[in-house]
Amino acid sequence: MEAWSDSPIIDNFRINFYLDTMILSYLLDKTYPCLTQTIEFLKNCPFSDLVSSHYVIFEFVGIRKREHYLRELVKKCQGPEGTLNMSSLLKYKDDFSAPEVKFEDIQLTIKTKVEEELSKITKDFSIEYSKNIIHNGLLQPTFDICLSSKISKEDSLVLCSAVLPNEQISEDFVLILSNDRQFVQDSSETKLNEIFRNHSIKKPLVEYLKDFKLEDGTKIDLTISENIDKVPDFVIKKLKELVIKKNKDLFLGKTIKCASKSPSNTICFNLESNTFLNKDIYIVIIGSDLNFFYSIKARGEFWNHEEIKSYPFQSTSVEPISFLIYDKSDDGIKKELASEIIEMLSKSGNLVFIHPHSL
């Protein structure tokens, strides 16, 4: 981020990426390099937050306990005298009673490993799960989703815990990242929309790790290592789409190159068709590479070939809009911005929004 960017970025322009149990396991095991790179980018990007929930962590502890036990079993039974029979491995996968490895002998090792992994989730990946607690408000919507669809009781709780972190808060926009194809498909059922509406909560987006898509149909499989070079550009495009989608009522358009005769402190953008432009609003500009976030400190007049006199301005087609940009001193007086800042703000392809505090 540029040093002159606003900080912190207001919540309207931050996207919550909710990670389910298996995603956490893949990260710790470094199973998929593309997924790891994606999460690393999102961890370091001020426009995204990585979250999970207490429920997912409960599942995670149980899964990792079993996996570490089975790994010790495989390690014990691989050697010159023979290899563990896979049917036997499956037989003992849930009861921890394989005769070759007593659970009591490795219990402390398993406990230590899982506790270290819980620490890594927050310290290494900055995934926040302590704020999404299990509470009474999850019960009825979870029941309704489970009983109205093919979705399991566990995944129904994942859907609800993603958007209802506690009984006082309902998240407006959450993306759940999962590698469970069936869960992703079942979550897209339109009949679920009514259930979420009935409980006055917003349905989360659920996206598949192997079919991570952009609106133009471009997609990437985050489980294929060969896609590693495509990840940075793809994730930036995906995150910009999500920021626009979350703020569709605030989005005005993208910056364009101004006419050569325009004053040096002019910002130009294409106003989206059928979009209202009101007078006396504050503007937010986000860099095309997500490299800055800047809120215009002084309200300005808008031009569409000539100064706009009648507001709200709207057109059925895309219209070029321009305005002069200023900073504002502590005593409220307009002052010029540095030329290098204006140059970046006016670069083509930046995202232009109404500042939510203008409404």
Side-chain angles (χ1 to χ4, degrees):
M1 292 285 286
E2 297 294 331
W4 45 265
S5 296
D6 291 359
S7 182
I9 294 172
I10 57 179
D11 288 342
N12 295 69
F13 300 99
R14 299 175 67 92
I15 304 298
N16 277 351
F17 288 83
Y18 182 100
L19 309 181
D20 72 8
T21 311
M22 290 311 301
I23 299 297
L24 298 182
S25 294
Y26 297 150
L27 288 174
L28 289 165
D29 291 337
K30 300 179 180 178
T31 307
Y32 302 121
C34 286
L35 171 64
T36 302
Q37 187 181 25
T38 297
I39 298 303
E40 284 290 340
F41 178 91
L42 295 175
K43 178 186 79 171
N44 295 315
C45 180
F47 293 94
S48 59
D49 291 302
L50 298 172
V51 300
S52 195
S53 69
H54 278 177
Y55 174 69
V56 166
I57 293 301
F58 287 149
E59 275 198 325
F60 172 84
V61 168
I63 287 174
R64 298 305 280 183
K65 170 186 171 182
R66 180 178 64 197
E67 288 180 350
H68 286 307
Y69 176 79
L70 294 178
R71 285 170 180 162
E72 291 296 324
L73 180 57
V74 170
K75 187 190 305 180
K76 176 77 172 179
C77 299
Q78 284 182 330
E81 297 180 359
T83 302
L84 177 68
N85 179 271
M86 289 297 105
S87 296
S88 298
L89 183 68
L90 294 173
K91 176 182 177 181
Y92 297 116
K93 73 180 181 70
D94 289 321
D95 60 13
F96 304 93
S97 62
E100 296 87 351
V101 178
K102 291 184 178 180
F103 177 76
E104 294 78 10
D105 293 341
I106 60 170
Q107 174 269 324
L108 186 57
T109 299
I110 292 175
K111 182 174 183 291
T112 300
K113 287 181 177 179
V114 175
E115 288 174 343
E116 288 174 349
E117 290 174 341
L118 289 174
S119 179
K120 285 182 178 181
I121 288 173
T122 53
K123 289 185 177 180
D124 292 2
F125 296 105
S126 300
I127 299 168
E128 173 63 68
Y129 61 80
S130 63
K131 294 181 180 179
N132 286 52
I133 64 174
I134 296 176
H135 55 89
N136 290 334
L138 293 171
L139 195 63
Q140 195 56 55
T142 298
F143 284 171
D144 289 349
I145 291 170
C146 181
L147 296 175
S148 302
S149 68
K150 297 178 183 178
I151 301 174
S152 69
K153 61 184 186 297
E154 293 84 4
D155 287 339
S156 297
L157 186 52
V158 165
L159 282 173
C160 292
S161 67
V163 293
L164 291 173
N166 59 59
E167 291 191 81
Q168 286 74 45
I169 296 177
S170 176
E171 298 285 1
D172 288 336
F173 197 94
V174 177
L175 186 146
I176 299 175
L177 193 57
S178 176
N179 200 32
D180 184 339
R181 183 193 294 271
Q182 192 62 51
F183 171 50
V184 175
Q185 290 178 344
D186 292 343
S187 299
S188 66
E189 294 182 12
T190 55
K191 62 183 176 182
L192 292 180
N193 297 341
E194 184 177 356
I195 296 174
F196 280 93
R197 282 196 301 269
N198 289 342
H199 289 282
S200 300
I201 53 179
K202 296 292 182 67
K203 182 180 177 183
L205 304 174
V206 185
E207 299 218 15
Y208 187 33
L209 199 61
K210 297 182 179 180
D211 195 28
F212 206 34
K213 292 181 180 177
L214 298 177
E215 291 181 355
D216 64 4
T218 305
K219 57 185 178 180
I220 189 172
D221 184 340
L222 295 177
T223 68
I224 296 179
S225 300
E226 288 73 16
N227 288 331
I228 195 78
D229 292 336
K230 301 176 183 177
V231 168
D233 183 60
F234 186 93
V235 176
I236 287 175
K237 290 178 180 177
K238 181 67 176 180
L239 193 46
K240 287 195 297 184
E241 283 189 356
L242 293 171
V243 170
I244 292 172
K245 188 170 186 177
K246 180 179 180 180
N247 297 280
K248 59 182 182 296
D249 293 335
L250 300 175
F251 183 61
L252 294 176
K254 296 182 181 181
T255 54
I256 57 174
K257 185 176 180 180
C258 294
S260 57
K261 294 182 180 180
S262 302
S264 60
N265 61 331
T266 305
I267 301 292
C268 300
F269 66 94
N270 274 334
L271 180 69
E272 296 279 290
S273 60
N274 300 309
T275 298
F276 285 106
L277 179 66
N278 287 298
K279 188 178 182 180
D280 293 331
I281 59 173
Y282 289 106
I283 295 292
V284 166
I285 301 178
I286 295 176
S288 60
D289 295 325
L290 301 180
N291 54 331
F292 66 80
F293 174 92
Y294 190 80
S295 54
I296 308 302
K297 308 305 186 290
R299 303 174 192 261
E301 300 296 330
F302 295 101
W303 292 64
N304 172 238
H305 306 296
E306 59 184 10
E307 186 175 353
I308 299 173
K309 299 294 186 181
S310 177
Y311 290 91
F313 177 85
Q314 184 190 33
S315 176
T316 56
S317 60
V318 174
E319 290 288 342
I321 302 294
S322 63
F323 64 96
L324 299 179
I325 183 172
Y326 297 95
D327 199 353
K328 203 171 186 180
S329 62
D330 293 337
D331 54 5
I333 299 175
K334 288 182 180 180
K335 63 179 183 178
E336 297 293 329
L337 273 170
S339 58
E340 58 268 23
I341 296 177
I342 294 176
E343 182 179 353
M344 294 199 70
L345 292 175
S346 59
K347 181 182 176 182
S348 296
N350 295 333
L351 310 182
V352 181
F353 297 87
I354 302 169
H355 196 294
H357 295 170
S358 297
L359 304 179

